[in-house]
Amino acid sequence: MGLFDAMRRALGRGGDADATGDDASDAGGSDGGVGGDGAWGLDADAAALDPQPGPRRRGGGHGRHWDTAVDSDEALQRVVATTLDDGRVRESRVEGVDAVEYGAGNLRCRVVREHGDVLTAYPIGDGVVHETTVTDVTPWETDLEADATVVLGPEEFATYGASAWGVGGVPLGDADVELAALAYAVELADEETYETDDGGEFSTAGMAGFAPVEGGGVADFAFQTTVREVQRVPFFDANGYRFRVPLTRDGDGTDYETWLYAGAHAISGRVPERGEDVSGVFWVQSHVR
């Protein structure tokens, strides 16, 4: 039994890495699916001139993503209002597009605007940079957001392409990609043992892996991992933490790490400490450099 299979079994997840639930229903979008070209992507230089050279494939939104960063609609409204009033403006290479960012630490709010009109807002966290490959891109209904599939160690998985607004898409191919995970829920994980197909035993202690969440979004995953480092960070006007954790591990024992963000409202029980195993559900965002 491989690590990914064991992860599915340990967390009770199933299905493949494709979209499920609400995201699956609109994965094709009103304009239809991918067509015959599975290698659709865009060149970063061309994107500034033509932000949507490929087919639109799905709508999208961040309502559920915000559950990882704030604990109420009122808090979300305050964060977005403060961002627009006091945030730092960043320019895009797409004409008429900019973003306003606000946050005191490693976690920020980003509000994307087009000709001054707000298009979307989402939380963005500093992550860990990896040399990896972007293998597939799914543009959202707007030209400025996308799902990006990346390869990291033994896994190929979907992420929210948080850098798409800057050039109008996400380029395919080898790149330095910054990955961060934001938790809907985190709790201490108890060790469990399972029998493998060859009659041996598999223990979940110290494992690092994740699996798609049934009914979740494209970039939503159930996970289990081990805390390597703990930092207390502000979650806008509330308290939160970020944990340095292995996102996955290859057959040689090499860890591929990320920063996992968790607000106090997302942590069940006490705050995990270094060396402890944790499990939960997160969404993964990527920034292609």
Side-chain angles (χ1 to χ4, degrees), residues 139-183:
W140 285 23
E141 186 175 358
T142 71
D143 300 341
L144 304 171
E145 299 188 84
D147 300 318
T149 299
V150 302
V151 175
L152 186 66
E155 307 294 354
E156 183 175 10
F157 57 97
T159 70
Y160 171 69
S163 57
W165 73 275
V167 295
V170 178
L172 289 172
D174 296 339
D176 290 335
V177 178
E178 184 176 357
L179 296 173
L182 282 73

Short mmCIF file of all heavy atoms in Angstrom, two decimals, residues 139-183:
data_model
loop_
_atom_site.label_atom_id
_atom_site.label_comp_id
_atom_site.label_asym_id
_atom_site.label_seq_id
_atom_site.Cartn_x
_atom_site.Cartn_y
_atom_site.Cartn_z
N PRO A 139 -8.23 28.01 -16.09
CA PRO A 139 -8.64 29.39 -15.84
C PRO A 139 -10.03 29.45 -15.23
O PRO A 139 -10.90 28.65 -15.54
CB PRO A 139 -8.64 30.03 -17.24
CG PRO A 139 -7.82 29.11 -18.08
CD PRO A 139 -8.02 27.74 -17.53
N TRP A 140 -10.24 30.42 -14.35
CA TRP A 140 -11.56 30.68 -13.80
C TRP A 140 -12.34 31.54 -14.79
O TRP A 140 -11.86 31.90 -15.86
CB TRP A 140 -11.46 31.38 -12.46
CG TRP A 140 -11.04 30.47 -11.34
CD1 TRP A 140 -10.35 29.30 -11.45
CD2 TRP A 140 -11.27 30.66 -9.95
NE1 TRP A 140 -10.13 28.75 -10.21
CE2 TRP A 140 -10.68 29.56 -9.27
CE3 TRP A 140 -11.90 31.65 -9.20
CZ2 TRP A 140 -10.73 29.44 -7.88
CZ3 TRP A 140 -11.94 31.53 -7.82
CH2 TRP A 140 -11.37 30.44 -7.18
N GLU A 141 -13.57 31.87 -14.40
CA GLU A 141 -14.43 32.64 -15.30
C GLU A 141 -13.81 34.00 -15.63
O GLU A 141 -13.91 34.48 -16.75
CB GLU A 141 -15.81 32.83 -14.66
CG GLU A 141 -16.82 33.49 -15.59
CD GLU A 141 -18.19 33.54 -14.96
OE1 GLU A 141 -18.36 33.04 -13.83
OE2 GLU A 141 -19.10 34.10 -15.60
N THR A 142 -13.18 34.62 -14.63
CA THR A 142 -12.40 35.82 -14.93
C THR A 142 -11.06 35.40 -15.51
O THR A 142 -10.64 34.25 -15.37
CB THR A 142 -12.16 36.67 -13.67
OG1 THR A 142 -11.24 35.99 -12.81
CG2 THR A 142 -13.47 36.94 -12.93
N ASP A 143 -10.38 36.32 -16.13
CA ASP A 143 -9.08 36.01 -16.71
C ASP A 143 -7.96 36.05 -15.69
O ASP A 143 -6.82 35.79 -16.02
CB ASP A 143 -8.74 37.03 -17.81
CG ASP A 143 -9.76 37.04 -18.93
OD1 ASP A 143 -10.51 36.05 -19.06
OD2 ASP A 143 -9.82 38.05 -19.65
N LEU A 144 -8.28 36.37 -14.44
CA LEU A 144 -7.26 36.72 -13.47
C LEU A 144 -7.12 35.73 -12.34
O LEU A 144 -6.39 35.98 -11.38
CB LEU A 144 -7.57 38.11 -12.88
CG LEU A 144 -7.71 39.21 -13.94
CD1 LEU A 144 -8.23 40.49 -13.31
CD2 LEU A 144 -6.38 39.45 -14.63
N GLU A 145 -7.81 34.58 -12.43
CA GLU A 145 -7.69 33.54 -11.42
C GLU A 145 -7.65 32.19 -12.13
O GLU A 145 -8.18 32.03 -13.24
CB GLU A 145 -8.86 33.59 -10.44
CG GLU A 145 -8.93 34.90 -9.67
CD GLU A 145 -9.98 34.86 -8.57
OE1 GLU A 145 -9.66 34.36 -7.47
OE2 GLU A 145 -11.11 35.31 -8.83
N ALA A 146 -7.03 31.22 -11.48
CA ALA A 146 -6.87 29.91 -12.12
C ALA A 146 -6.54 28.86 -11.08
O ALA A 146 -6.02 29.17 -9.99
CB ALA A 146 -5.76 29.96 -13.17
N ASP A 147 -6.84 27.62 -11.41
CA ASP A 147 -6.32 26.47 -10.68
C ASP A 147 -5.07 26.01 -11.41
O ASP A 147 -5.06 25.92 -12.65
CB ASP A 147 -7.33 25.34 -10.63
CG ASP A 147 -8.63 25.75 -9.95
OD1 ASP A 147 -8.55 26.43 -8.92
OD2 ASP A 147 -9.70 25.39 -10.46
N ALA A 148 -4.02 25.72 -10.67
CA ALA A 148 -2.76 25.28 -11.26
C ALA A 148 -2.37 23.93 -10.68
O ALA A 148 -2.26 23.79 -9.46
CB ALA A 148 -1.66 26.31 -11.01
N THR A 149 -2.17 22.95 -11.53
CA THR A 149 -1.73 21.63 -11.09
C THR A 149 -0.20 21.59 -11.09
O THR A 149 0.43 21.94 -12.09
CB THR A 149 -2.28 20.53 -12.01
OG1 THR A 149 -3.71 20.57 -11.97
CG2 THR A 149 -1.80 19.16 -11.57
N VAL A 150 0.37 21.17 -9.97
CA VAL A 150 1.83 21.14 -9.83
C VAL A 150 2.29 19.75 -9.44
O VAL A 150 1.52 18.95 -8.88
CB VAL A 150 2.32 22.17 -8.79
CG1 VAL A 150 1.88 23.58 -9.16
CG2 VAL A 150 1.83 21.82 -7.39
N VAL A 151 3.54 19.47 -9.72
CA VAL A 151 4.19 18.22 -9.30
C VAL A 151 5.15 18.56 -8.17
O VAL A 151 5.99 19.44 -8.30
CB VAL A 151 4.95 17.56 -10.46
CG1 VAL A 151 5.71 16.34 -9.98
CG2 VAL A 151 3.99 17.19 -11.58
N LEU A 152 5.01 17.85 -7.06
CA LEU A 152 5.90 18.04 -5.91
C LEU A 152 6.25 16.67 -5.36
O LEU A 152 5.38 15.97 -4.82
CB LEU A 152 5.23 18.89 -4.84
CG LEU A 152 6.12 19.28 -3.65
CD1 LEU A 152 7.24 20.21 -4.11
CD2 LEU A 152 5.30 19.95 -2.55
N GLY A 153 7.51 16.29 -5.50
CA GLY A 153 7.89 14.96 -5.05
C GLY A 153 7.06 13.91 -5.75
O GLY A 153 6.97 13.89 -6.98
N PRO A 154 6.40 13.02 -4.98
CA PRO A 154 5.64 11.94 -5.58
C PRO A 154 4.23 12.34 -6.00
O PRO A 154 3.51 11.53 -6.56
CB PRO A 154 5.58 10.90 -4.46
CG PRO A 154 5.55 11.74 -3.21
CD PRO A 154 6.45 12.92 -3.50
N GLU A 155 3.81 13.57 -5.72
CA GLU A 155 2.42 13.96 -5.91
C GLU A 155 2.25 14.97 -7.05
O GLU A 155 3.11 15.83 -7.28
CB GLU A 155 1.85 14.56 -4.63
CG GLU A 155 2.00 13.70 -3.39
CD GLU A 155 1.21 12.41 -3.45
OE1 GLU A 155 0.44 12.21 -4.41
OE2 GLU A 155 1.34 11.59 -2.53
N GLU A 156 1.13 14.86 -7.74
CA GLU A 156 0.67 15.84 -8.70
C GLU A 156 -0.72 16.26 -8.26
O GLU A 156 -1.62 15.43 -8.15
CB GLU A 156 0.64 15.26 -10.12
CG GLU A 156 0.23 16.26 -11.19
CD GLU A 156 0.33 15.69 -12.59
OE1 GLU A 156 0.54 14.46 -12.70
OE2 GLU A 156 0.21 16.45 -13.57
N PHE A 157 -0.92 17.55 -7.97
CA PHE A 157 -2.16 17.96 -7.32
C PHE A 157 -2.52 19.39 -7.71
O PHE A 157 -1.68 20.18 -8.15
CB PHE A 157 -2.02 17.85 -5.80
CG PHE A 157 -0.88 18.64 -5.21
CD1 PHE A 157 -1.08 19.89 -4.68
CD2 PHE A 157 0.40 18.10 -5.20
CE1 PHE A 157 -0.03 20.62 -4.14
CE2 PHE A 157 1.47 18.82 -4.66
CZ PHE A 157 1.25 20.09 -4.13
N ALA A 158 -3.79 19.72 -7.53
CA ALA A 158 -4.31 21.03 -7.88
C ALA A 158 -4.08 22.02 -6.75
O ALA A 158 -4.14 21.69 -5.57
CB ALA A 158 -5.80 20.95 -8.19
N THR A 159 -3.81 23.28 -7.13
CA THR A 159 -3.67 24.38 -6.20
C THR A 159 -4.45 25.57 -6.74
O THR A 159 -4.81 25.61 -7.93
CB THR A 159 -2.20 24.80 -6.03
OG1 THR A 159 -1.74 25.42 -7.25
CG2 THR A 159 -1.31 23.61 -5.71
N TYR A 160 -4.70 26.55 -5.87
CA TYR A 160 -5.21 27.82 -6.36
C TYR A 160 -4.02 28.66 -6.81
O TYR A 160 -3.11 28.93 -6.03
CB TYR A 160 -6.00 28.57 -5.27
CG TYR A 160 -6.34 29.98 -5.69
CD1 TYR A 160 -7.26 30.21 -6.71
CD2 TYR A 160 -5.70 31.07 -5.11
CE1 TYR A 160 -7.55 31.50 -7.13
CE2 TYR A 160 -5.99 32.36 -5.53
CZ TYR A 160 -6.92 32.58 -6.53
OH TYR A 160 -7.20 33.87 -6.95
N GLY A 161 -4.02 29.06 -8.08
CA GLY A 161 -2.90 29.82 -8.63
C GLY A 161 -2.97 31.28 -8.23
O GLY A 161 -3.51 32.12 -8.96
N ALA A 162 -2.41 31.60 -7.07
CA ALA A 162 -2.55 32.93 -6.48
C ALA A 162 -1.81 34.02 -7.24
O ALA A 162 -2.04 35.20 -7.00
CB ALA A 162 -2.09 32.91 -5.02
N SER A 163 -0.92 33.65 -8.15
CA SER A 163 -0.16 34.64 -8.91
C SER A 163 -0.80 34.99 -10.24
O SER A 163 -0.29 35.84 -10.98
CB SER A 163 1.26 34.13 -9.15
OG SER A 163 1.24 32.88 -9.82
N ALA A 164 -1.95 34.37 -10.57
CA ALA A 164 -2.54 34.56 -11.90
C ALA A 164 -2.93 36.00 -12.18
O ALA A 164 -2.85 36.47 -13.32
CB ALA A 164 -3.77 33.65 -12.04
N TRP A 165 -3.36 36.74 -11.15
CA TRP A 165 -3.81 38.11 -11.37
C TRP A 165 -2.70 39.00 -11.92
O TRP A 165 -2.96 39.96 -12.65
CB TRP A 165 -4.30 38.72 -10.04
CG TRP A 165 -3.17 39.04 -9.09
CD1 TRP A 165 -2.56 38.19 -8.22
CD2 TRP A 165 -2.48 40.28 -9.00
NE1 TRP A 165 -1.54 38.81 -7.56
CE2 TRP A 165 -1.46 40.11 -8.02
CE3 TRP A 165 -2.62 41.52 -9.62
CZ2 TRP A 165 -0.59 41.14 -7.68
CZ3 TRP A 165 -1.74 42.54 -9.28
CH2 TRP A 165 -0.75 42.35 -8.30
N GLY A 166 -1.45 38.67 -11.62
CA GLY A 166 -0.34 39.54 -11.98
C GLY A 166 -0.03 39.57 -13.46
O GLY A 166 0.49 40.56 -13.97
N VAL A 167 -0.32 38.45 -14.17
CA VAL A 167 -0.03 38.38 -15.60
C VAL A 167 -1.22 37.88 -16.41
O VAL A 167 -1.12 37.72 -17.61
CB VAL A 167 1.21 37.49 -15.89
CG1 VAL A 167 2.46 38.09 -15.31
CG2 VAL A 167 1.00 36.07 -15.36
N GLY A 168 -2.32 37.60 -15.74
CA GLY A 168 -3.50 37.12 -16.45
C GLY A 168 -3.53 35.63 -16.64
O GLY A 168 -4.26 35.12 -17.49
N GLY A 169 -2.78 34.88 -15.86
CA GLY A 169 -2.79 33.43 -15.98
C GLY A 169 -1.60 32.83 -15.27
O GLY A 169 -0.86 33.51 -14.57
N VAL A 170 -1.41 31.53 -15.46
CA VAL A 170 -0.30 30.80 -14.86
C VAL A 170 0.46 30.08 -15.97
O VAL A 170 -0.15 29.31 -16.73
CB VAL A 170 -0.79 29.78 -13.81
CG1 VAL A 170 0.37 29.00 -13.23
CG2 VAL A 170 -1.58 30.48 -12.71
N PRO A 171 1.77 30.30 -16.11
CA PRO A 171 2.52 29.63 -17.16
C PRO A 171 2.77 28.16 -16.85
O PRO A 171 2.98 27.79 -15.69
CB PRO A 171 3.84 30.41 -17.22
CG PRO A 171 3.99 30.96 -15.83
CD PRO A 171 2.60 31.24 -15.33
N LEU A 172 2.75 27.35 -17.87
CA LEU A 172 3.09 25.94 -17.73
C LEU A 172 4.60 25.74 -17.71
O LEU A 172 5.36 26.59 -18.15
CB LEU A 172 2.51 25.14 -18.90
CG LEU A 172 0.99 24.96 -18.93
CD1 LEU A 172 0.59 24.32 -20.26
CD2 LEU A 172 0.53 24.09 -17.77
N GLY A 173 5.01 24.57 -17.21
CA GLY A 173 6.41 24.19 -17.28
C GLY A 173 7.14 24.29 -15.96
O GLY A 173 6.54 24.53 -14.90
N ASP A 174 8.44 24.09 -16.02
CA ASP A 174 9.28 24.13 -14.82
C ASP A 174 9.34 25.55 -14.26
O ASP A 174 9.47 26.52 -15.02
CB ASP A 174 10.68 23.64 -15.14
CG ASP A 174 10.71 22.18 -15.57
OD1 ASP A 174 9.75 21.46 -15.23
OD2 ASP A 174 11.69 21.78 -16.23
N ALA A 175 9.28 25.65 -12.94
CA ALA A 175 9.26 26.97 -12.32
C ALA A 175 9.57 26.84 -10.84
O ALA A 175 9.45 25.76 -10.25
CB ALA A 175 7.91 27.65 -12.51
N ASP A 176 9.97 27.96 -10.24
CA ASP A 176 10.01 28.06 -8.78
C ASP A 176 8.61 28.43 -8.32
O ASP A 176 8.07 29.48 -8.69
CB ASP A 176 11.01 29.13 -8.34
CG ASP A 176 12.45 28.73 -8.60
OD1 ASP A 176 12.73 27.52 -8.66
OD2 ASP A 176 13.29 29.63 -8.74
N VAL A 177 8.02 27.56 -7.51
CA VAL A 177 6.63 27.75 -7.08
C VAL A 177 6.58 27.81 -5.56
O VAL A 177 7.09 26.91 -4.88
CB VAL A 177 5.73 26.61 -7.60
CG1 VAL A 177 4.29 26.80 -7.10
CG2 VAL A 177 5.75 26.57 -9.12
N GLU A 178 5.99 28.87 -5.04
CA GLU A 178 5.82 29.03 -3.60
C GLU A 178 4.48 28.44 -3.20
O GLU A 178 3.44 28.80 -3.75
CB GLU A 178 5.88 30.52 -3.24
CG GLU A 178 5.79 30.80 -1.76
CD GLU A 178 5.94 32.29 -1.45
OE1 GLU A 178 6.17 33.08 -2.40
OE2 GLU A 178 5.83 32.66 -0.27
N LEU A 179 4.50 27.51 -2.25
CA LEU A 179 3.30 26.81 -1.81
C LEU A 179 2.99 27.12 -0.35
O LEU A 179 3.88 27.12 0.50
CB LEU A 179 3.47 25.30 -1.97
CG LEU A 179 3.66 24.76 -3.39
CD1 LEU A 179 3.99 23.28 -3.35
CD2 LEU A 179 2.41 25.00 -4.23
N ALA A 180 1.73 27.39 -0.08
CA ALA A 180 1.25 27.59 1.28
C ALA A 180 -0.08 26.88 1.43
O ALA A 180 -0.83 26.71 0.46
CB ALA A 180 1.11 29.08 1.61
N ALA A 181 -0.40 26.47 2.66
CA ALA A 181 -1.66 25.79 2.94
C ALA A 181 -2.38 26.53 4.06
O ALA A 181 -1.76 26.94 5.04
CB ALA A 181 -1.40 24.33 3.35
N LEU A 182 -3.69 26.68 3.92
CA LEU A 182 -4.52 27.35 4.92
C LEU A 182 -5.55 26.35 5.42
O LEU A 182 -6.29 25.75 4.62
CB LEU A 182 -5.21 28.58 4.35
CG LEU A 182 -4.34 29.85 4.19
CD1 LEU A 182 -3.36 29.69 3.03
CD2 LEU A 182 -5.20 31.08 3.97
N ALA A 183 -5.62 26.18 6.73
CA ALA A 183 -6.40 25.10 7.33
C ALA A 183 -7.83 25.53 7.65
O ALA A 183 -8.05 26.57 8.28
CB ALA A 183 -5.73 24.59 8.59
#
